[in-house]
Amino acid sequence: GAGVSQSPSNKVTEKGKDVELRCDPISGHTALYWYRQSLGQGLEFLIYFQGNSAPDKSGLPSDRFSAERTGGSVSTLTIQRTQQEDSAVYLCASTRGPETGELFFGEGSRLTVL
Amino acid sequence: AQRVTQPEKLLSVFKGAPVELKCNYSYSGSPELFWYVQYSRQRLQLLLRHISRESIKGFTADLNKGETSFHLKKPFAQEEDSAMYYCAARRFQKLVFGTGTRLLVSP
C-alpha cells in the first residue's frame, strides 16, 4: 500500500480482555516501531524491530504487552488483561532501515478500556 | 537516561508573531535530532532534521551542543502552522520523542 496501515482504527474493550492491534508497514521497509500516544505523555516508545535482529523491547511497560513481526512485514501488538490505563492511541511507524530517522506513521489504533 | 524535554505543553501566538518551540535533550554521545509535526486529523510526519540544516515551511532548528538544545523557530507564524510539534532524538536506531508542544496561531 501507499502508507503504513493500522487496524482496527478504534477498539473499545472491557477491562481484563485481551486485544490485538495490527500494523502493515510500507512495502520494503525493514524497520518497524510501535509507540503509545496519550494525553500529557507524548509519544512513548514501546518496541522496535529491524530485519531479522532481536527486537528492542525496552519500552514495553509490562509483561502484559508483547509484539511480534511475522515474515519481516506485518506486526501485531498484543495487550493481555487490559487495564484502564492502557487506553491510548497506539501508533506504528516504519522506515527503510536503521540508517534513517524518518519514520512513516500510520493513523493509529485508538484503544479505550472500560 | 535518554530523554527529550519539551517544557511547553501549549504555545499560543498571533499570526505574524515569531515562534520558538523549545527542546532540550539528555543523551550521551551525539544523537541525531528531529522535529515531527502532527496537523489536525493527519498523520505524524517529519518536519526537519538537524543534519539537513534545511528550512521547511519557514521553520529552522539549530543544534546547540553546549546547551543540548534543538529549538524550532519561525520568524512569522501562520494560522496553518497550528499543530502538535514533537522533538525527537535518535541514537542506535531507537527514536525517543518528547511530550510535544501544541502550537496555536490565532488570526
Side-chain angles (χ1 to χ4, degrees), chain A residues 2-95:
Chain A
V4 177
S5 177
Q6 291 188 245
S7 61
S9 54
N10 270 290
K11 175 72 177 178
V12 180
T13 191
E14 292 178 348
K15 178 181 169 182
K17 296 282 175 84
D18 297 352
V19 296
E20 283 190 351
L21 307 176
R22 176 189 165 106
C23 173
D24 241 307
I26 293 172
S27 178
H29 280 193
T30 62
L32 186 147
Y33 297 76
W34 282 98
Y35 288 88
R36 180 165 67 177
Q37 186 179 36
S38 47
L39 279 176
Q41 301 297 319
L43 277 160
E44 180 186 2
F45 168 81
L46 297 177
I47 189 168
Y48 163 72
F49 295 91
Q50 171 53 51
N52 295 322
S53 303
D56 179 346
K57 304 180 182 180
S58 60
L60 294 178
S62 77
D63 59 8
R64 295 186 296 104
F65 287 73
S66 63
E68 62 178 23
R69 189 178 184 193
T70 52
S73 181
V74 172
S75 177
T76 303
L77 176 69
T78 301
I79 309 173
Q80 295 179 308
R81 305 181 302 282
T82 52
Q83 303 294 313
Q84 288 184 332
E85 60 262 27
D86 299 335
S87 297
V89 176
Y90 290 82
L91 290 173
C92 176
S94 68
T95 76

Side-chain angles (χ1 to χ4, degrees), chain A residues 3-4 33 35 37 40-43 45 48 56 58 91 98-103 105-107, chain B residues 9 32 34 36 38 41 43-46 49 84 86 90 92-100:
Chain A
V4 177
Y33 297 76
Y35 288 88
Q37 186 179 36
Q41 301 297 319
L43 277 160
F45 168 81
Y48 163 72
D56 179 346
S58 60
L91 290 173
E99 71 283 359
T100 174
E102 181 172 8
L103 272 58
F105 280 86
E107 293 184 320
Chain B
K9 282 186 165 44
E32 293 178 73
F34 305 84
Y36 276 75
Q38 189 169 28
R41 297 188 181 85
R43 303 178 186 214
L44 192 61
Q45 59 186 288
L46 178 67
R49 65 189 90 189
M84 194 75 181
Y86 292 93
R90 185 177 85 129
F92 305 125
Q93 289 78 54
K94 182 174 166 179
L95 192 64
V96 175
F97 286 83
T99 51

Side-chain angles (χ1 to χ4, degrees), chain B residues 26-54:
Chain B
S26 173
Y27 264 75
S28 57
S30 299
E32 293 178 73
L33 277 300
F34 305 84
W35 277 98
Y36 276 75
V37 61
Q38 189 169 28
Y39 300 102
S40 179
R41 297 188 181 85
Q42 292 188 28
R43 303 178 186 214
L44 192 61
Q45 59 186 288
L46 178 67
L47 179 62
L48 54 79
R49 65 189 90 189
H50 89 271
I51 58 173
S52 300
R53 295 182 172 275
E54 56 198 347

Side-chain angles (χ1 to χ4, degrees), chain B residues 46-102:
Chain B
L46 178 67
L47 179 62
L48 54 79
R49 65 189 90 189
H50 89 271
I51 58 173
S52 300
R53 295 182 172 275
E54 56 198 347
S55 173
I56 302 292
K57 299 184 179 183
F59 284 97
T60 58
D62 291 321
L63 178 60
N64 185 322
K65 292 186 179 180
E67 296 181 358
T68 61
S69 68
F70 188 56
H71 303 328
L72 183 68
K73 300 177 184 179
K74 184 169 183 176
F76 307 103
Q78 303 299 313
E79 288 179 67
E80 55 266 28
D81 296 328
S82 295
M84 194 75 181
Y85 291 81
Y86 292 93
C87 182
R90 185 177 85 129
R91 201 149 182 267
F92 305 125
Q93 289 78 54
K94 182 174 166 179
L95 192 64
V96 175
F97 286 83
T99 51
T101 298
R102 180 168 296 283

